Amino acid sequence: MYKRIVKRTLDIVVSLAGMILASWLYVLIIIALEVDDPGPVFFSQKRVGKGKTHFKLYKFRSMKTSTPHDVPTHLLDDPDRYITRVGRFLRKTSLDEIPQLFNILKGDMSIVGPRPALWNQYDLVEERDRYGANDVLPGLTGWAQINGRDELEIPVKAKLDGVYAKKLSEGGFTAFLFDMRCFFGTAVSALRGEGVVEGGTGEIKKHGSEGEDGKAKE
């Protein structure tokens, strides 16, 4: 009942409330983006949804209009040069993710679930199959987001996504509490700017304690 009814009801209520309450923020972000780098303010990408179906995920554009499309940030040659000044702030604070409230309202995503992989991130999708993580709706935030976010290597990230899928399958109050833990844990991480590392999945492990130059974001 929680998975089929309560969770979806919460998604609708929270996404609608979030879109209304953040409307003033939308206006400020749109103005800032236009001043910094004129062009489309929204950015869409084909992502992997429940059951490995595809959907369009929406974000505020944080990179220059000349950036190659459908290429993960960590696969770009010198990704730092593509990120706009406003975009850097949006990514660090995760404000670029706000338009995904519309994806949640549509039913493409949930508030909590595994972060949706890019359509061509075959290694991550394949690894998630091992843990049943492709069988649940992807989310705005998830268990992996409070356990390392972009620093995590793919096998570790997929395993954590599998932990979430298993907890959700248990249903009831247990699943609800786990969702709340993910939600509030991610809010704290976002406020601290933790886990956003421009450069690639697992970069912290590869490069140790790099500074801003080693940062990566999905």
Side-chain angles (χ1 to χ4, degrees):
M1 182 177 176
Y2 174 74
K3 185 177 178 180
R4 290 184 293 107
I5 300 173
V6 178
K7 186 174 173 67
R8 179 57 187 153
T9 301
L10 287 172
D11 284 342
I12 292 171
V13 172
V14 173
S15 59
L16 268 176
M19 290 170 73
I20 293 169
L21 292 173
S23 57
W24 63 274
L25 192 55
Y26 269 69
V27 175
L28 291 180
I29 291 173
I30 288 170
I31 292 172
L33 286 171
E34 282 294 336
V35 170
D36 188 27
D37 185 56
V41 293
F42 294 106
F43 172 73
S44 66
Q45 261 182 342
K46 186 162 72 171
R47 296 278 181 136
V48 180
K50 183 180 179 181
K52 294 189 282 189
T53 57
H54 293 153
F55 71 96
K56 275 191 175 182
L57 174 142
Y58 299 99
K59 289 186 176 188
F60 279 119
R61 180 172 60 87
S62 60
M63 306 188 86
K64 297 175 182 177
T65 53
S66 58
T67 306
H69 199 65
D70 278 339
V71 177
T73 304
H74 65 279
L75 295 182
L76 291 170
D77 179 32
D78 189 15
D80 218 39
R81 69 187 177 93
Y82 289 106
I83 304 171
T84 64
R85 288 172 298 177
V86 172
R88 193 176 307 282
F89 172 77
L90 294 179
R91 290 160 75 91
K92 188 171 182 63
T93 57
S94 294
L95 289 174
D96 60 322
E97 313 282 0
I98 293 178
Q100 286 161 53
L101 291 172
F102 179 67
N103 287 116
I104 294 167
L105 187 62
K106 280 178 61 185
D108 297 327
M109 294 172 58
S110 179
I111 296 293
V112 182
R115 283 296 297 157
L118 276 164
W119 67 273
N120 54 3
Q121 283 184 297
Y122 306 115
D123 47 356
L124 177 57
V125 174
E126 182 179 350
E127 195 71 19
R128 282 175 170 173
D129 266 338
R130 297 178 56 194
Y131 304 103
N134 290 317
D135 299 328
V136 299
L137 276 177
L140 182 64
T141 182
W143 185 233
Q145 273 56 55
I146 61 173
N147 284 282
R149 206 171 171 181
D150 294 318
E151 297 105 321
L152 299 173
E153 294 184 312
I154 283 173
V156 179
K157 183 181 289 188
K159 189 172 183 179
L160 288 170
D161 290 334
V163 170
Y164 177 78
K166 184 178 180 181
K167 286 287 185 181
L168 185 61
S169 69
E170 294 175 7
F173 197 57
T174 300
F176 172 74
L177 285 178
F178 200 68
D179 273 354
M180 292 301 100
R181 185 177 178 183
C182 292
F183 180 82
F184 289 109
T186 305
V188 172
S189 294
L191 288 172
R192 291 175 178 173
E194 295 173 348
V196 182
V197 184
E198 307 298 347
T201 303
E203 282 296 298
I204 292 288
K205 185 173 181 179
K206 293 176 190 174
H207 298 295
S209 56
E210 281 191 354
E212 288 289 318
D213 294 331
K215 289 197 162 181
K217 189 167 180 5
E218 345 177 67

